Amino acid sequence: MRARGVQLELDHPRYGAVPSVANPIRFSDTPIQYKSAPPVLGANTREILAGLLKKSGADGLHPGYGFLSENADFAERVEKSGFVFIGPTPASIRLMGDKVSAKQAMIKAGVPCVPGSEGALPDDPKIIIQTARKVGYPVIIKAAGGGGGRGMRVVHTEAALLSSVVMTKSEAGAAFNNPEVYLEKFLENPRHIEIQVLADGGRNAVWLGERDCSMQRRHQKVWEEGPSPALNENMRHEIGEVCAKAMQGLGYLGVGTMEFLYENGEFFFIEMNTRLQVEHPVTEAITGLDLVELQLRLAGGEPFALAQSDITQTGHAFECRLCAEQPEHDFRPATGRVMRLREPLGEGLRFHIRDELWDPKAMRVHMDKYHPVGRMFADRYCRTDDRMEFPAAPVVKAQAAE
């Protein structure tokens, strides 16, 4: 982006604790330091960040893919302050951030959805029981404002239904400040397929291939790859066109990811992420497109320059998330100091280390209750024309000690 005259500034909530060798700081033209932000972004934090944006002299803000990227209130605050929020409109973020309204919008747009309740579940236990009987067991209770694998519970029998709804509502209220839940048919052996989309807020929208995120543990993605080995070209094209058409109908702006469950030749929409995702380099590797650059071009008002016929997929790419865990104790998170780490080397490999591991003096692995399977501290991407010709997996050894 510097080649196009774009100046890069970094506002980082942990900048004071992150060493200057960290890539976000090294590649920014003007790092801006401020105190650590709380785990949950409140109104005060949004005001602080908006104030820093004014002082920086920047034209716009790219929220990355953390808390801010899907915070409609923050996006709205940025825009009202006279700056460009590099992402979807606050209205789109709000619509898709609520799983109930997102599903209703997709049904209206002609996107296939998992059979389930028509909106949030009411308090009336009789209606809840009737809805589950109509859908058929097993069912899954999901938080309307949920994400990241939290706020969901599978129910196999009617006897466990009402208590499961109560527990999920309580969990949803505590985690997302929204106790609403909804009910869907639980698909027992699906693949998790996500479609990357790009749209200009008007009549132009394209799909950029898919990523297969079926390998998960406790609803957390462990392995993402593209293209999916489960789809043929006809399937890929059919669901991609459905997604692009939906984005046109919604007037969506920017990049987004539509997530589906795929079983027995059918796709079922489950949610949409209105942001760049951690696994977006998989799509970049097989399409040759820079998604962040495309975001910036759209935000800068440049004409939409991509036609669907311009987009091709070459090779195969994957991302593997490496977690600090204790295999001997049901893979519980491991905390402590990393004693030894050997990075993978080779053509086509990218290795990312978490902020905390950039400084040899502070190589600690930190866990919290929101990431029960261990937080990512390294990614690996690889590209090849044949999925079966990947080079041997890298050896990454990290020994945690208190």
Side-chain angles (χ1 to χ4, degrees), residues 87-360:
T89 64
S92 290
I93 296 174
R94 202 166 274 121
L95 177 68
M96 292 299 142
D98 184 289
K99 303 298 187 293
V100 172
S101 63
K103 185 174 179 180
Q104 290 171 339
M106 289 301 166
I107 291 174
K108 187 176 180 180
V111 178
C113 295
V114 181
S117 59
E118 297 179 3
L121 288 176
D123 294 327
D124 190 334
K126 291 183 179 179
I127 296 178
I128 296 174
I129 291 172
Q130 289 172 357
T131 302
R133 287 177 179 174
K134 182 179 179 180
V135 171
Y137 290 93
V139 298
I140 183 167
I141 312 300
K142 293 183 177 181
R150 291 177 288 155
M152 56 180 68
R153 189 167 275 101
V154 178
V155 182
H156 291 273
T157 65
E158 189 170 293
L161 178 62
L162 296 180
S163 61
S164 296
V165 170
V166 171
M167 286 189 288
T168 308
K169 280 187 174 183
S170 177
E171 182 180 323
F176 311 112
N177 198 31
N178 178 3
E180 286 193 341
V181 300
Y182 62 105
L183 178 152
E184 287 183 340
K185 175 69 177 177
F186 178 66
L187 304 181
E188 300 193 67
N189 192 33
R191 296 188 80 95
H192 188 128
I193 307 290
E194 54 188 35
I195 308 295
Q196 184 74 63
V197 294
L198 175 72
D200 68 353
R203 300 179 62 182
N204 298 302
V206 293
W207 55 280
L208 309 177
E210 84 284 358
R211 296 184 293 263
D212 192 319
C213 307
S214 301
M215 189 180 293
Q216 302 182 14
R217 183 167 67 248
R218 299 173 186 142
H219 304 295
Q220 296 282 343
K221 298 172 184 175
V222 176
W223 176 286
E224 298 97 355
E225 65 176 301
S228 169
L231 303 184
N232 59 38
E233 285 302 316
N234 289 337
M235 295 173 180
R236 184 172 294 118
H237 184 269
E238 182 179 347
I239 192 61
E241 288 299 309
V242 168
C243 292
K245 185 177 179 181
M247 293 302 96
Q248 290 173 332
L250 291 171
Y252 189 80
L253 172 66
V255 301
T257 301
M258 296 178 66
E259 302 200 12
F260 293 85
L261 295 180
Y262 174 75
E263 187 175 73
N264 299 325
E266 293 184 276
F267 286 92
F268 301 97
F269 172 83
I270 50 174
E271 65 179 9
M272 181 176 185
N273 292 304
T274 55
R275 58 175 169 82
L276 203 65
Q277 289 193 268
V278 175
E279 59 267 25
H280 77 274
V282 171
T283 296
E284 292 182 329
I286 61 177
T287 62
L289 298 172
D290 185 324
L291 298 188
V292 177
E293 180 179 352
L294 290 172
Q295 284 185 301
L296 293 171
R297 287 181 180 275
L298 284 173
E302 294 188 20
F304 196 83
L306 281 175
Q308 193 63 56
S309 57
D310 297 328
I311 299 163
T312 59
Q313 296 186 58
T314 303
H316 201 96
F318 72 85
E319 170 189 325
C320 178
R321 305 189 186 194
L322 306 178
C323 303
E325 299 173 330
Q326 304 175 67
E328 69 277 16
H329 297 295
D330 195 28
F331 291 92
R332 285 184 298 183
T335 60
R337 185 176 296 276
V338 176
M339 306 301 294
R340 187 160 56 100
L341 177 65
R342 190 171 78 192
E343 298 184 19
L345 300 173
E347 184 179 358
L349 301 183
R350 290 169 56 177
F351 186 73
H352 293 181
I353 304 177
R354 279 181 56 191
D355 293 356
E356 290 87 347
L357 303 187
W358 271 321
D359 185 357

Side-chain angles (χ1 to χ4, degrees), residues 24-40:
I25 295 175
R26 286 197 304 115
F27 290 117
S28 65
D29 296 299
T30 311
I32 299 175
Q33 181 176 1
Y34 62 97
K35 293 181 180 180
S36 297
V40 179

Side-chain angles (χ1 to χ4, degrees), residues 26-98:
R26 286 197 304 115
F27 290 117
S28 65
D29 296 299
T30 311
I32 299 175
Q33 181 176 1
Y34 62 97
K35 293 181 180 180
S36 297
V40 179
L41 286 170
N44 184 51
T45 305
R46 293 195 292 269
E47 291 300 316
I48 292 172
L49 293 175
L52 286 172
L53 185 59
K54 284 185 177 181
K55 292 180 181 179
S56 72
D59 300 308
L61 178 141
H62 191 295
Y65 42 69
F67 282 122
L68 293 175
S69 60
E70 291 184 294
N71 189 307
D73 292 338
F74 179 71
E76 204 165 58
R77 180 72 177 82
V78 170
E79 291 186 350
K80 286 182 177 179
S81 298
F83 300 93
V84 176
F85 181 80
I86 304 172
T89 64
S92 290
I93 296 174
R94 202 166 274 121
L95 177 68
M96 292 299 142
D98 184 289

